Amino acid sequence: MTDQEVYDGSSIEVLEGLEPVRRRPGMYTDTQNPNHLAMEVIDNSVDEALAGFAHLITVTLHADNSIEVTDDGRGMPVDPHPVEKVPAIELILTRLHAGGKFSGDSYRFSGGLHGVGVSVVNALSSRLEARVRRDGHRYYIAYEQGEKVEGLRDEGTCPRAEFGTTVRFWPDGRYFDEDLFNPELLRHDLKAKALLCEGLTVAFCNELDGSSERWSYGGGLGSYLGDACAGRATEPPRPFECQVEGEDFELSFAVAWELEGRGDQGLHESYVNLIPTPDGGTHVNGLRTGLLLAIREFCEIHNLLPRDLRLTPEDVWGRCSHVLALMIRDPQFAGQTKGKLSNREVASLVEGAVRDRFSLFLNSDVAAGKALAGVIIESAKERESSAKKVSRKKVGRGPALPGKLTDCSSTDPARGELFIVEGDSAGGSARQARDSSYQAILPLRGKILNTWEISGPKALTSEEIKAISVAIGLEPDREDLEGLRYHKICILADADVDGLHIGTLLCALFVRHFPSLVRAGHVFVACPPLYRLDCGKVKDYALDDEELERKRRDLVRRGHRKDSIRIQRFKGLGEMNPEQLGETTMDPKSRRLMQLTLGAEGDESTMELMDLLLSKKRASDRRDWLERNGARAEDLS
C-alpha cells in the first residue's frame, strides 16, 4: 500500500487560526475583488451606528490600494477577555466566530452576526492596522498575513469624550480575481448605508481621483426611489412608501411601477440590517407576495379583471421598482457574502405587513388604485397574448410523457406549474389539492441520484431524472429553453431532514444540469409547514419551531389561553389532507415559495457550497466542516 492509499488518524489535517480562510477564501468572502472585505469592516462601524453610538463613518481609499475606515463609535474593547486572558481586540481580529453580536445584548440589530467578518479581512490582507480611542487613551495593534507583528500598545492620551475605531488594511491580491477595489460599487454601498441608517453621516475620500463625497439623508426610501426613477413615468407618480415597526423587526419599503418597458431600467434594491442583498431572499419573496395579494384583492373588490384573466406574480413584479429595508434580530444569510436572506419566517412576516399597508393605500384613493391596477392588468394581457403565440404543446414527438405525470389542462407554459413531489402518498394528496387547469404533479420515489459530478447523458440513465427531463421538456445541459412546458417548476418535499436532503439533490440537479432554467427564474422550492395551530376559530400554520413559538406568543397576546392552543406536527406531506396541502403549499394565495437563483456567470459561493455538500472528493472537507460547526446543530431527538 502506497503512502497515498493510507488513510488513518495521521491523514486528518487540523487547520489552526485563520488558515481555513486562506485555504478556501471563497467560502468566507466574495473573491471577485476586495470590496466585500471593505464592507465587512464598514458594517462593523454601521452596527455601532445602528446601536446609537456612532454618527460619522469616514472611508478613505488610499492611493496604495488600502482602505481605511474610521467611526466615532464605542471603540473595540481592549481589556483582557475574562476566559481567553488576551485583549479582546485580538480575539476580534484573529479568532473566527468571536464577536459581540451573538447574544443580542450589545446590539439589537446588526449585520455582522457570525464573528468572522473582520478576522477574514485580517486573514486575506498583507497588512492590517487597528487604532482605538476609548476611556481617554489611544491604542494601536498591527498584523501582517494575519500574524501579529506589533502587539497592542497604549499610544497616549486623548480627550475622555473621544471614542471610536480606525481600521486600515491592504488586501492580498493572491486571493482575488481582481486585486483593486471598485470605487463605484463602494460609493453606491456607502450611499445606501447613509440612506438606510437615520442620523448617520458617511464620508468617502477617493485618493485615486482626488474626489470626496458626504451623504446624510432624511428624505426616506420614497425620496431615494423617486430620485432613481426621475425622468421616467411611473405609477404612482410619487412612490408609495411605508414604515412598519414590530416587536422584533423594523420594515421600510418604497414601490413604483414603470409605465414603459418591463422595469429593467428601474431600481431593485433590498437590504437586511443595512447589508445589501443583491440575490434577494425571503424578505423580497414576502414583499412580492404581499403586493400581489393586495392588488388581487383590490381588483376583485372593484371587479376590474376581465373574464378568465388571473394576475400572476410576474404581472405585478415585472415593472415594479422597489427599495426594501428590513431590520431583524437574527438574520440568516445564504453564505458569508450575505447576498441572500434565508430566514424562512421572514417571508410571512413581510408579506403580512406589506399586504395590509398596501391594501390601505390602494383603497384610500380608489382612483389612484385603479390607475395602478390598470398598469398591472395591461402586463397580464401582454403575457396572455404572448402565451397564445407560443403555447405549451402536448408532447407529440420524442419520448412519451412519464406515466407518473398528472398533467394540467392549460396549454399556456407561462401559466403552467409543475410540482415535483416526494413520494406517491404526497403525490396523491397533491393531485387532489391542485388546480388541474394549470398545476401538474410528478411524484418521485425516494432520493434521486446525486448528479453533481456526472454528465447529463449519464444522469438520464436514472428513471427519475429522465422523467423530470421529459416532463419539463428540456434535456440536461441545454442552454436554450425552447420546449419548456412549464414556467414554474416547484420542488415539494417534506419539511424533515430526509425532505431537505431530497430538496438539496433536486436543487443540485437543476443548478448543475439546467442552469439556464434557474437563471431565468423558473425553479422554486415550496415551503410546507411542520405545524398546524388550532385555537377556537383561529387556524394557522408554522414552518418551523421558531415560527411556531412566535405565533403561539401572538395568540396568547391576543387573549387566547396557552392551554387552549392545539398543535399538530406533520411528519410529512402525506399526513396532510388535500385541503391542508393545497392551502399551505399549492394555492398561490397562501403558499410560500422560495426562488432558486444563480448569477449570470454562475454564483461562485453557491457552486462552492454545493461542491462541499455533494462532491465525493470533498468528504474530508465535509468532515472538517462538521467538526467546526457541529456544535451549532440543534438536538432534534
Side-chain angles (χ1 to χ4, degrees):
M1 181 178 291
T2 66
D3 290 342
Q4 291 182 338
E5 294 173 328
V6 172
Y7 181 66
D8 56 19
S10 64
S11 305
I12 305 303
E13 184 179 5
V14 179
L15 301 181
E16 300 289 344
L18 299 177
E19 187 59 25
V21 182
R22 288 188 281 266
R23 287 284 189 94
R24 300 208 181 269
M27 292 180 63
Y28 296 88
T29 191
D30 183 350
T31 56
Q32 182 177 349
N33 61 45
N35 273 46
H36 189 257
L37 295 188
M39 296 315 299
E40 290 285 6
V41 180
I42 292 164
D43 285 339
N44 281 349
S45 296
V46 172
D47 286 342
E48 283 290 286
L50 285 175
F53 298 103
H55 305 284
L56 173 64
I57 298 172
T58 302
V59 179
T60 303
L61 175 55
H62 292 284
D64 61 358
N65 198 44
S66 66
I67 283 275
E68 185 175 61
V69 181
T70 299
D71 66 56
D72 58 353
R74 290 169 290 185
M76 289 186 190
V78 295
D79 54 308
H81 188 273
V83 176
E84 301 294 336
K85 308 302 181 184
V86 297
I89 190 173
E90 291 192 24
L91 296 178
I92 295 171
L93 294 173
T94 62
R95 192 76 61 87
L96 295 176
H97 307 295
K101 301 164 189 174
F102 296 103
S103 67
D105 295 337
S106 300
Y107 298 86
R108 183 186 179 204
F109 301 121
S110 64
L113 293 170
H114 305 122
V116 302
V118 73
S119 55
V120 169
V121 176
N122 196 7
L124 302 181
S125 297
S126 57
R127 183 175 176 86
L128 181 145
E129 299 172 351
R131 290 178 168 83
V132 174
R133 305 173 303 284
R134 60 182 291 157
D135 302 324
H137 289 264
R138 298 176 184 271
Y139 300 91
Y140 174 85
I141 192 170
Y143 292 82
E144 290 184 359
Q145 309 295 342
E147 300 295 331
K148 183 170 62 177
V149 293
E150 298 184 56
L152 182 68
R153 66 173 183 256
D154 188 332
E155 292 196 316
T157 61
C158 66
R160 291 198 64 84
E162 186 176 333
F163 285 79
T165 301
T166 297
V167 174
R168 183 175 181 180
F169 70 94
W170 290 255
D172 191 331
R174 294 177 298 169
Y175 300 109
F176 302 94
D177 300 333
E178 171 59 57
D179 59 357
L180 299 178
F181 289 97
N182 185 322
E184 280 307 305
L185 286 180
L186 274 176
R187 180 183 178 279
H188 175 270
D189 289 342
L190 291 172
K191 184 178 179 181
K193 301 293 185 188
L195 165 75
L196 297 168
C197 189
E198 185 177 356
L200 173 65
T201 298
V202 178
F204 179 43
C205 303
N206 184 356
E207 290 186 356
L208 298 178
D209 61 11
S211 64
S212 62
E213 294 181 86
R214 194 179 184 93
W215 302 283
S216 182
Y217 286 92
L221 299 187
S223 297
Y224 179 65
L225 181 58
D227 291 344
C229 297
R232 300 195 304 274
T234 63
E235 190 63 53
R238 295 180 60 185
F240 170 67
E241 177 184 11
C242 187
Q243 295 85 36
V244 184
E245 184 169 350
E247 181 180 344
D248 297 321
F249 75 96
E250 294 176 8
L251 172 69
S252 300
F253 67 95
V255 290
W257 277 260
E258 306 279 342
L259 297 186
E260 298 179 0
R262 294 293 297 170
D264 296 338
Q265 302 304 314
L267 190 69
H268 310 96
E269 294 184 359
S270 61
Y271 301 86
V272 175
N273 293 10
L274 278 65
I275 303 293
T277 49
D279 298 326
T282 50
H283 57 321
V284 176
N285 292 342
L287 172 66
R288 176 173 170 158
T289 305
L291 294 174
L292 171 66
L293 296 178
I295 290 173
R296 274 184 180 168
E297 182 181 57
F298 179 79
C299 290
E300 291 171 2
I301 290 172
H302 297 282
N303 197 26
L304 300 179
L305 289 176
R307 187 183 183 91
D308 297 328
L309 181 67
R310 180 177 177 81
L311 297 182
T312 69
E314 289 73 21
D315 300 330
V316 176
W317 200 242
R319 296 185 180 182
C320 182
S321 288
H322 68 274
V323 185
L324 170 66
L326 177 68
M327 309 289 284
I328 52 176
R329 286 189 182 274
D330 186 23
Q332 304 296 320
F333 296 97
Q336 175 57 23
T337 55
K338 303 175 185 174
K340 183 176 183 179
L341 185 70
S342 58
N343 296 61
R344 294 201 299 174
E345 75 281 359
V346 163
S348 61
L349 184 151
V350 174
E351 174 192 313
V354 170
R355 180 181 184 178
D356 291 346
R357 274 69 179 184
F358 198 60
S359 291
L360 287 173
F361 164 72
L362 292 172
N363 288 286
S364 64
D365 186 341
V366 175
K370 287 183 177 180
L372 174 55
V375 175
I376 293 164
I377 291 171
E378 186 62 30
S379 294
K381 289 179 178 178
E382 291 175 4
R383 171 183 53 78
E384 292 251 314
S385 177
S386 299
K388 289 176 181 177
K389 296 176 183 177
V390 187
S391 63
R392 181 172 62 84
K393 305 278 187 195
K394 299 295 181 181
V395 173
R397 291 181 297 175
L401 289 173
K404 296 184 292 183
L405 173 69
T406 303
D407 209 352
C408 56
S409 58
S410 172
T411 58
D412 178 2
R415 191 178 178 219
E417 298 181 352
L418 174 66
F419 283 82
I420 302 175
V421 184
E422 173 194 352
D424 291 334
S425 175
S429 294
R431 278 192 290 269
Q432 297 179 61
R434 70 181 180 135
D435 184 330
S436 61
S437 66
Y438 67 96
Q439 291 179 327
I441 308 297
L442 179 65
L444 298 180
R445 189 171 299 169
K447 296 181 176 67
I448 69 164
L449 178 69
N450 180 356
T451 61
W452 189 249
E453 294 180 310
I454 65 176
S455 65
K458 187 171 181 180
L460 286 177
T461 60
S462 163
E463 287 298 323
E464 301 294 319
I465 293 171
K466 182 179 179 181
I468 294 172
S469 173
V470 173
I472 65 177
L474 299 178
E475 293 185 355
D477 305 328
R478 270 184 54 180
E479 288 298 322
D480 67 273
L481 299 181
E482 184 178 355
L484 179 63
R485 303 183 68 247
Y486 311 91
H487 279 199
K488 186 163 285 183
I489 297 164
C490 307
I491 299 169
L492 178 53
D494 289 346
D496 59 10
V497 173
D498 283 339
L500 293 175
H501 187 186
I502 292 170
T504 300
L505 292 172
L506 285 168
C507 287
L509 169 68
F510 287 114
V511 168
R512 176 62 79 186
H513 295 292
F514 299 91
S516 57
L517 192 66
V518 178
R519 291 193 187 102
H522 293 305
V523 182
F524 296 80
V525 178
C527 301
L530 265 179
Y531 299 100
R532 173 186 168 99
L533 297 86
D534 288 282
C535 185
K537 296 181 179 180
V538 177
K539 293 177 176 57
D540 202 353
Y541 298 89
L543 287 176
D544 50 28
D545 291 335
E546 185 175 346
E547 188 173 38
L548 172 67
E549 186 56 35
R550 180 170 61 81
K551 291 193 172 185
R552 187 156 42 187
R553 288 200 308 267
D554 288 344
L555 286 172
V556 172
R557 277 199 294 266
R558 286 155 55 186
H560 298 280
R561 296 197 324 276
K562 192 171 184 178
D563 58 5
S564 69
I565 304 172
R566 298 191 305 277
I567 297 170
Q568 175 187 2
R569 189 184 194 280
F570 300 114
K571 293 181 180 178
L573 297 173
E575 273 199 0
M576 293 185 183
N577 59 45
E579 292 75 17
Q580 292 173 333
L581 184 59
E583 180 183 2
T584 62
T585 318
M586 302 186 71
D587 187 344
K589 293 181 180 179
S590 53
R591 71 189 180 191
R592 304 184 197 182
L593 298 179
M594 292 182 63
Q595 190 174 43
L596 191 62
T597 59
L598 195 62
E601 299 298 329
D603 186 325
E604 182 179 345
S605 61
T606 298
M607 303 303 278
E608 169 65 26
L609 177 60
M610 298 297 282
D611 195 62
L612 175 66
L613 291 173
L614 298 163
S615 173
K616 295 180 181 178
K617 301 173 185 177
R618 300 285 300 278
S620 61
D621 291 337
R622 279 194 294 276
R623 186 184 301 108
D624 291 344
W625 187 91
L626 287 169
E627 288 174 352
R628 291 195 307 271
N629 296 280
R632 298 166 59 191
E634 297 179 8
D635 183 4
L636 300 178
S637 59

